[in-house]
Amino acid sequence: MRILVINGPNLNLLGVREPEIYGTGDYNALIKYIEDVCREENVEVECYQSNHEGDIVDRIQQALGNKDGIVINPAAYTHTSIAIMDALKAVAIPAVEVHLTNVEKREDFRQISYAGMACVHTYMGLGFEGYKEAVLFLKRYLKD
Ligand code: DQA
């Protein structure tokens, strides 16, 4: 199983960025965590981060034909990007949405998730562990 993990804007600043909300683990620690999980689960993983909406759309398109699943934390683009939602629908690769925080308990403007409308499942509020749950979900989902 080959998966692509996409992290959107400002997630490269994890650890520095509002640690009281997002925690103290930095982006490199997140990537190591995801890679360790995938190694244990025998999943081939590629991690990608971008602060640019169009670059994320391009990366989703490039996954066509060579990835079996996508784990995506679109960060702020979650709540604004019809382009990312459309790209996920266009490639039709099963995608799982992840948020470090519980966005349902946060500001009104975070209550809509366009990306989530193109995803088979969502994990939120679990910190790094949400990415592990997403990988395990995709394993089960792709087996069925
Ligand atoms: C986030 C939640 C988003 O609302 C926010 O814009 C982010 C991170 C999360 O992981 O909790 O950048 O996706």
Side-chain angles (χ1 to χ4, degrees), residues 36-90:
D36 286 351
V37 164
C38 288
R39 194 173 313 109
E40 275 168 34
E41 294 297 327
N42 208 19
V43 168
E44 194 182 310
V45 66
E46 189 182 334
C47 296
Y48 176 76
Q49 190 277 330
S50 176
N51 295 323
H52 305 280
E53 183 177 15
D55 289 345
I56 293 171
V57 169
D58 284 345
R59 195 64 199 81
I60 292 168
Q61 290 188 6
Q62 285 159 13
L64 197 56
N66 56 77
K67 300 292 179 203
D68 305 305
I70 294 175
V71 173
I72 184 163
N73 181 348
Y77 289 140
T78 305
H79 319 297
T80 62
S81 181
I82 295 169
I84 290 174
M85 174 187 72
D86 281 350
L88 290 169
K89 286 186 175 174

Side-chain angles (χ1 to χ4, degrees), residues 16-18 20 37 82-83 85 101 105 109 111 120 132:
V16 174
R17 173 193 190 196
E18 301 178 276
E20 67 286 1
V37 164
I82 295 169
M85 174 187 72
T101 63
K105 298 249 163 77
F109 59 83
Q111 298 312 310
V120 292
K132 176 179 183 173

